[in-house]
Each structure stands twice: as structure tokens, then as C-alpha cells.
């Protein structure tokens, strides 16, 4: 019977080097045994640098611009319904968004569409969409293009 443990030796950029150490229960010293290390699958840590994170966030915004409220001919991003995009280094994404009205009949459809589309972006491992109503949405949150499309300019 062998016991084993892993140790992160060094982290450089996006790569982490792992070593596997083994020990028999009666032994007092841990030692490195490469023949056993090859048999154990160890996932490398993925650390996202700022440039990669920025590129993924741009792709997320592009994807959000494909989500439309069925009653309004403008995407949710240009409407100003997206309040926060928080991408973690491990690829987990949290989005805070609102609706134009709290009793929107398409709320579930819009939120699920947002979640599915942002999860399809390469680099996003999981997405959570939170519906918030603070601050309350106002037409001043729309982009100039959205205001023009809806006739507010």
C-alpha cells in the first residue's frame, strides 16, 4: 500500500508544475517515484492573466449583444440591463442584471438566454446570472444607439 500527496513546485504565468511524492505507511520519508506519478491524472492550475481576461470579457459583451428582450428591438447590453460582469481567474462568471420592469413576462427567458450564451464563450467555465433591481433601471442607462433605435433622441 502506498500513500501519496502532491505539491505545487512552481507557478509561472499560466502553468503550474506538480510533483507527486509517495510513502509506504511504515516509511518515515516521502520520496518521489516517477513511475507512479505517470499513472495519476493531475490537472494543471489555470491562472488567467489580465490580457486573457480582457479578451474573454470582450467576447462576453459581444455575446450579450445577441440577447434581446422579445418586446424591445434592442439587445440587453445596449439597453443598460447588465450592471456587473465579474470574471474570476478560474473562468467562473457572475453577471448582475436587471429588467426594464420588475413584472417582465419574459424574465426567465431572458435570464436563461444570457446564461446559456455566456457559458458558450471559450474561457467561461460556469455562469451565474443574478437578477437585481437596485439601482432601478432608467432609460438614461441605455447607450446612444439604443436611444436612437427606440426614438428617444
Amino acid at each position: 500500500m502506498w500513500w501519496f500527496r502532491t505539491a505545487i513546485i512552481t507557478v509561472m504565468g499560466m502553468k503550474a508544475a506538480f510533483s507527486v511524492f509517495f510513502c509506504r505507511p511504515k516509511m518515515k520519508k516521502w520520496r518521489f517515484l516517477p513511475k507512479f506519478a505517470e499513472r495519476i491524472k493531475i490537472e494543471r492550475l489555470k491562472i488567467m492573466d489580465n490580457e486573457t481576461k480582457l479578451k474573454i470579457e470582450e467576447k462576453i459583451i459581444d455575446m450579450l449583444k445577441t440577447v434581446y428582450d422579445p418586446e424591445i428591438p434592442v439587445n440587453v447590453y445596449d439597453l443598460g440591463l447588465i450592471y456587473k460582469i465579474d470574471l474570476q481567474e478560474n473562468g467562473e462568471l457572475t453577471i448582475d442584471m436587471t429588467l426594464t420592469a420588475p413584472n417582465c413576462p419574459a424574465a426567465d427567458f431572458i435570464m436563461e438566454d444570457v446564461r446559456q450564451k455566456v457559458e458558450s464563450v471559450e474561457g467561461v467555465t460556469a455562469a451565474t446570472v443574478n437578477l437585481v433591481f437596485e439601482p432601478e433601471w432608467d432609460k438614461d442607462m441605455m447607450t446612444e444607439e439604443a436611444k436612437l433605435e427606440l426614438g428617444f433622441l
Side-chain angles (χ1 to χ4, degrees):
M1 177 179 188
W2 290 87
W3 294 342
F4 73 94
R5 67 179 176 189
T6 59
I8 299 174
I9 302 303
T10 183
V11 176
M12 296 178 169
M14 293 182 66
K15 296 181 181 177
F18 289 89
S19 291
V20 180
F21 296 88
F22 293 86
C23 177
R24 288 190 184 223
K26 295 179 184 178
M27 295 171 57
K28 297 200 183 212
K29 292 184 181 177
W30 289 90
R31 62 185 180 142
F32 179 68
L33 296 174
K35 67 179 184 177
F36 291 110
E38 293 173 5
R39 296 181 189 169
I40 298 174
K41 180 183 175 187
I42 299 174
E43 290 188 28
R44 294 185 181 272
L45 290 176
K46 292 185 180 178
I47 300 172
M48 195 179 301
D49 63 351
N50 286 335
E51 185 178 328
T52 304
K53 187 175 179 180
L54 184 61
K55 287 180 182 178
I56 294 171
E57 286 175 346
E58 288 173 358
K59 290 178 185 177
I60 291 167
I61 290 170
D62 290 342
M63 192 58 73
L64 287 170
K65 289 184 176 184
T66 67
V67 178
Y68 287 82
D69 183 324
E71 299 172 338
I72 304 172
V74 178
N75 65 70
V76 295
Y77 189 81
D78 288 340
L79 277 173
L81 301 181
I82 306 298
Y83 286 170
K84 181 179 86 170
I85 300 172
D86 183 23
L87 181 63
Q88 300 297 316
E89 288 182 353
N90 62 0
E92 292 180 5
L93 175 67
T94 303
I95 293 179
D96 287 353
M97 68 173 291
T98 192
L99 301 169
T100 55
N103 57 355
C104 177
D108 293 336
F109 169 78
I110 294 169
M111 289 180 59
E112 184 61 19
D113 198 22
V114 166
R115 189 191 61 77
Q116 286 180 355
K117 288 189 175 180
V118 296
E119 278 186 346
S120 72
V121 173
E122 187 177 341
V124 175
T125 58
T128 303
V129 180
N130 299 318
L131 185 60
V132 297
F133 292 104
E134 291 292 327
E136 188 175 329
W137 181 83
D138 186 84
K139 66 181 178 181
D140 294 331
M141 296 177 176
M142 293 190 291
T143 62
E144 296 296 319
E145 294 85 10
K147 290 177 183 177
L148 185 62
E149 179 73 26
L150 295 173
F152 289 120
L153 287 182

